[in-house]
Amino acid sequence: MTSRRAGAAQGPESPAGPPNPRRAEILGAAAELFARRGYHGVSIGDLGRAVGLTGPALYRHFSGKEAVLAEMLLDISERLLAEGVRRAADPDPGRALDALLQWHIAFALDNPALITVHERELDNVPEPQRHRIRRLQRAYVEEWVAVLRRLHPRQPDERIRAAVHACFGLLNSTPRSATELDRPAMAALLHTMARAALTLDAGAAG
């Protein structure tokens, strides 16, 4: 399956209909709590209190804590892929790469709690949703690989893919690295470092 088809496929666990502000509020509060205390350190009651609901009232919006985590990480993966597809479509691969970097850097700087939860808690998502999340993640990686393949046609795919994963490690370091510089300075630093890391023709192939 190509990355674009993977992004377009909608599983039964994907939220349907217009955005629900209350659900979005719960997801935002849950991300902060899960990042700070860990998934297993947060109860349904904790989630409800964070948004002014009782635990039982929260069940009107989500079937349980697993459903909150699953929707949170599915939403991250779907948003990253949808915007990645759009930006990678630029016919100029240099512009496409810069656009991808700007998008991912902005996401990582604006959502440190989501980055933390994504890194630590994916194994706590039920298997069907976890499978879809991983499929969306692979599709997102392949958008970057396709852009870099156009920029560095002599490089083997496995080297390009390894570089993309290494670049994500850098960009997703924001919960730890973005603590002293202001946002514009940190965004510029990440962009410069990531762009240099993805200049693959500077090294030997294979």
Side-chain angles (χ1 to χ4, degrees), residues 53-189:
L53 294 173
T54 64
L58 197 75
Y59 288 112
R60 292 202 295 269
H61 302 278
F62 291 95
S63 61
K65 194 170 68 166
E66 281 187 344
V68 173
L69 180 63
E71 182 164 325
M72 182 189 304
L73 298 188
L74 275 166
D75 178 64
I76 295 170
S77 302
E78 288 170 348
R79 279 195 282 155
L80 284 169
L81 177 57
E83 188 63 17
V85 168
R86 189 181 75 80
R87 294 182 180 232
D90 192 308
D92 182 311
R95 281 202 312 261
L97 179 57
D98 282 331
L100 286 169
L101 285 167
Q102 288 161 6
W103 157 240
H104 197 108
I105 288 167
F107 183 90
L109 288 172
D110 291 342
N111 300 280
L114 289 176
I115 294 291
T116 298
V117 174
H118 185 274
E119 288 182 345
R120 289 197 320 214
E121 307 294 356
L122 181 58
D123 286 346
N124 290 308
V125 174
E127 195 282 329
Q129 292 95 328
R130 187 167 67 248
H131 175 75
R132 175 161 171 75
I133 290 165
R134 292 197 184 281
R135 186 156 56 89
L136 290 164
Q137 290 173 336
R138 288 193 297 270
Y140 182 56
V141 168
E142 291 308 309
E143 293 298 328
W144 288 66
V145 169
V147 169
L148 285 167
R149 190 185 292 127
R150 289 191 282 147
L151 271 175
H152 307 292
R154 294 180 296 171
Q155 297 294 332
D157 279 3
E158 59 269 23
R159 188 165 189 267
I160 293 174
R161 198 168 286 109
V164 171
H165 283 292
C167 179
F168 285 172
L170 167 67
L171 301 183
N172 292 341
S173 71
T174 52
R176 300 170 294 280
S177 62
T179 57
E180 297 186 32
L181 296 179
D182 62 27
R183 191 186 188 286
M186 191 66 199
L189 178 62

Side-chain angles (χ1 to χ4, degrees), residues 17-52:
N20 182 315
R22 195 56 157 163
R23 287 172 74 90
E25 183 185 11
I26 293 166
L27 290 172
E32 296 294 334
L33 286 172
F34 291 161
R36 192 163 63 245
R37 292 159 51 180
Y39 174 77
H40 294 294
V42 178
S43 69
I44 281 289
D46 295 328
L47 293 178
R49 282 189 292 275
V51 294

